[in-house]
Structure formats: C-alpha cells, structure tokens
Amino acid sequence: MASDPRWNGARTRGRSRSMNTDEFEDRLKALRPRLHRYCARMTGSAVHGEDVLQDSLVKALQARAQGAGVDNLEAWLFRIAHNASLDFLRERSRTTVVPLTEDVEAAPMPEADIVAISFRTFLRLPELQRCAVILRDVLGHSVEEIAGIAACSPAAAKSALQRGRAALRQLAQAPEDTRLPLISDPDRRKITTYVHLFRSGDFDAIRAMLADDVKLDLVNRLRLEGRDKIGLYFTRYAEETKWRFALGAVEGQPAMLVFDSTGPMARPAHFVLIGWSESRIIAIRDFLFAPYVLEAIDWVRLG
C-alpha cells in the first residue's frame, strides 16, 4: 500500500512545518516529475509545463521564506502548480471547451492508455475536467484531494472527473492532428549548423557563435549566464562519447535531438533548444537532467 501514489501526500502531513531548508528542497526535487506530469498536461506542452513548474517552485520557495505554514506539502505544491497553470492558460487564451452530453462514463482509463494520450489532447478538455482526470487517473489523488487543489466541492470534482474521462475517450479515438514543424529557412540553417558542429566536435566554433550574455539553462540542474561561464558545458559534451545528435523539432520548435548510442535509439534521450538573436546564440536550454519532460512529448527527426 505504501507504494500507491495516492499515499504520497499523506506521508507529508505533520512533517512539512518542521522541515529545514535542505529537506524542503529535497522534497521539491523528489516531487518535480509528478508536478511536471500535471503542468504539462494542463498546459498542453512538455516545454511550457516545465516553465510553469519552475514558476511554481519559485513561488513555493518564496512562500516558505515568508513563513507559510504547510500541513500537506504535496497538496500545497499541486495547488500552486494548478493556479500557475491556469494563469499560463488565461494569459494565452488557449482553453477550448468540449461539449458533452449527460451520458457520462465513470470508469477510469487504464494507466497505459492515459499516459499515451498526447498533451495536446488533454488541452482540449475544460480546465476542471482536465485537472480532475490528471490528478485522479495519472497521479492517483482522491476526489477529496482534487477538490482541495482545484478549490471546488467534492461533488463538482467527481462530476468533472466523470465528464473528463468520457471526453478523453472520445478525443482519443479521433484521428491525431499531426503538428508539422514550421521552421523558416534561416532558422533551419542555424539549427542545422549547430547540430553539425556538435556532431563534428567543433565546440570552439560554437563558442564563437555565443553572445556575450548568453544564458544556459541546464534544466533541473543549474543556470549560468555569460559566454565565459558556460565553457565547461561544451567540455563535458566533448568528453562524453555516447551521445549522437540529430536535427529535429520538439512541439514544433527547432531542436537538437540527443540519442544515447548505448541503449535503444528509437527515441531521443533528451533534447536541446537554442535561442537566437540574428546569428548569435543567446540561450541554450538543455533537458539532459529532466528526463520526465520526454513523457509523451511531440517530437520529429528532420535529419
């Protein structure tokens, strides 16, 4: 029973208030993959889900520094992540309502089926239905816990769960609309050059392309700014021989896909997004230490 994810939140009760800073940050790190599963499906994007997750963790750390009392750490964090996801969606006005009849199906979907459903399919559910299905069928929360996180009554949470399950079944049976990467010729040339230089190990040429104030986000590990401070990043890649690099797109964005030659290469092990200002690299976002982002992600190899 202790392995059931529905008990994770219960184990935090009575402990959160007395945690020191290191213990608190360790718990945040341990919960990060579960929180990302929620944020990614709520926002319809693994990459945007990571943005919302980072924003949620910053808010949690700030609230703790201001003396916020927490009785149930996991429920508290999911409440923060829920509100941050709604803020993200409302800023972009991306919510689409799915009309449903009263004839709903209450049975949960098998975990293997629900994990395979794309993030964009979840995005087509109304917010409360999406919240209820993710928390119950993906993460194992109870209806009462869903009500607490979504700030609604248990009856409303149960109704949203039933409707969301029925809608998800209907949507999962519809043909998947493939998201084709719309990459301009200049952008394609830039990312192609970047991937080619990685393949050939010409990291000096890449360093010459960096802007002075380039930002490196090694997601879930560290952030650095300035071309002089991120040299070790390329050195580490130069020392590792197992990686194979390919041009691709992730959720429609140009990306460098990274494959692990020591294991199955049907899917990338991680990916890297590059930000440009004309011919200069101004941002590198590397998901090496965030494998949870790859779950059900939209990607395509282009070369």
Side-chain angles (χ1 to χ4, degrees):
M1 184 176 291
S3 62
D4 189 330
R6 283 171 285 185
W7 290 87
N8 291 347
R11 288 198 293 268
T12 67
R13 291 184 178 92
R15 293 183 51 221
S16 303
R17 290 181 185 274
S18 59
M19 284 185 188
N20 62 37
T21 300
D22 289 342
E23 290 173 331
F24 183 76
E25 292 182 358
D26 285 345
R27 283 291 290 150
L28 293 189
K29 184 176 181 180
L31 286 168
R32 187 165 183 146
R34 283 172 59 79
L35 289 164
H36 181 267
R37 294 180 83 182
Y38 182 77
C39 294
R41 287 171 171 81
M42 282 297 292
T43 62
S45 161
V47 175
H48 291 324
E50 179 63 28
D51 293 334
V52 171
L53 170 56
Q54 290 186 13
D55 181 47
S56 300
L57 296 181
V58 168
K59 289 177 179 176
L61 289 168
Q62 290 174 341
R64 177 176 169 81
Q66 294 168 2
V70 183
D71 292 319
N72 182 332
L73 179 61
E74 182 168 336
W76 181 67
L77 289 172
F78 271 102
R79 178 66 175 151
I80 294 173
H82 176 73
N83 289 333
S85 297
L86 295 185
D87 288 343
F88 173 90
L89 291 167
R90 286 161 184 163
E91 286 174 5
R92 288 156 179 78
S93 300
R94 295 177 59 187
T95 301
T96 302
V97 175
V98 180
L100 293 176
T101 67
E102 291 298 321
D103 183 18
V104 299
E105 190 170 352
M109 297 182 68
E111 182 179 358
D113 292 345
I114 202 166
V115 170
I117 294 174
S118 75
F119 297 143
R120 287 179 291 120
T121 300
F122 275 92
L123 190 61
R124 296 174 66 185
L125 294 177
E127 291 168 357
L128 184 56
Q129 292 179 20
R130 195 183 326 153
C131 165
V133 173
I134 297 167
L135 288 175
R136 184 70 185 94
D137 292 343
V138 178
L139 297 168
H141 286 259
S142 68
V143 169
E144 290 73 20
E145 288 171 330
I146 294 169
I149 291 168
C152 66
S153 68
K158 184 176 182 179
S159 174
L161 176 62
Q162 292 173 333
R163 290 172 174 272
R165 283 171 172 170
L168 209 54
R169 280 188 170 86
Q170 295 170 11
L171 294 169
Q173 293 172 0
E176 183 75 15
D177 54 330
T178 303
R179 182 187 314 191
L180 297 177
L182 302 177
I183 303 176
S184 68
D185 288 340
D187 286 345
R188 179 181 286 269
R189 286 194 294 269
K190 290 174 185 176
I191 192 65
T192 299
T193 298
Y194 189 86
V195 172
H196 172 73
L197 292 173
F198 251 84
R199 282 173 172 166
S200 62
D202 193 351
F203 296 107
D204 286 338
I206 294 179
R207 290 185 181 96
M209 298 163 63
L210 301 176
D212 291 338
D213 58 350
V214 61
K215 294 179 175 62
L216 169 66
D217 182 5
L218 202 53
V219 177
N220 200 20
R221 182 57 60 94
L222 60 83
R223 291 185 178 186
L224 296 172
E225 181 173 352
R227 61 186 303 169
D228 295 335
K229 294 183 178 180
I230 70 172
L232 186 61
Y233 167 77
F234 298 106
T235 301
R236 292 286 173 82
Y237 266 110
E239 293 172 348
E240 181 55 74
T241 60
K242 70 177 182 179
W243 300 125
R244 300 293 182 266
F245 309 100
L247 172 66
V250 171
E251 297 183 345
Q253 301 181 56
M256 182 174 75
L257 305 178
V258 186
F259 296 83
D260 184 349
S261 64
T262 65
M265 293 183 59
R267 290 178 56 83
H270 64 280
F271 62 94
V272 183
L273 302 178
I274 306 297
W276 301 85
S277 177
E278 297 182 351
S279 61
R280 291 291 181 183
I281 296 171
I282 59 173
I284 301 172
R285 196 172 191 197
D286 190 323
F287 289 79
L288 170 62
F289 294 104
Y292 52 82
V293 175
L294 287 169
E295 183 188 65
I297 199 171
D298 227 357
W299 69 276
V300 61
R301 183 167 179 165
L302 301 175

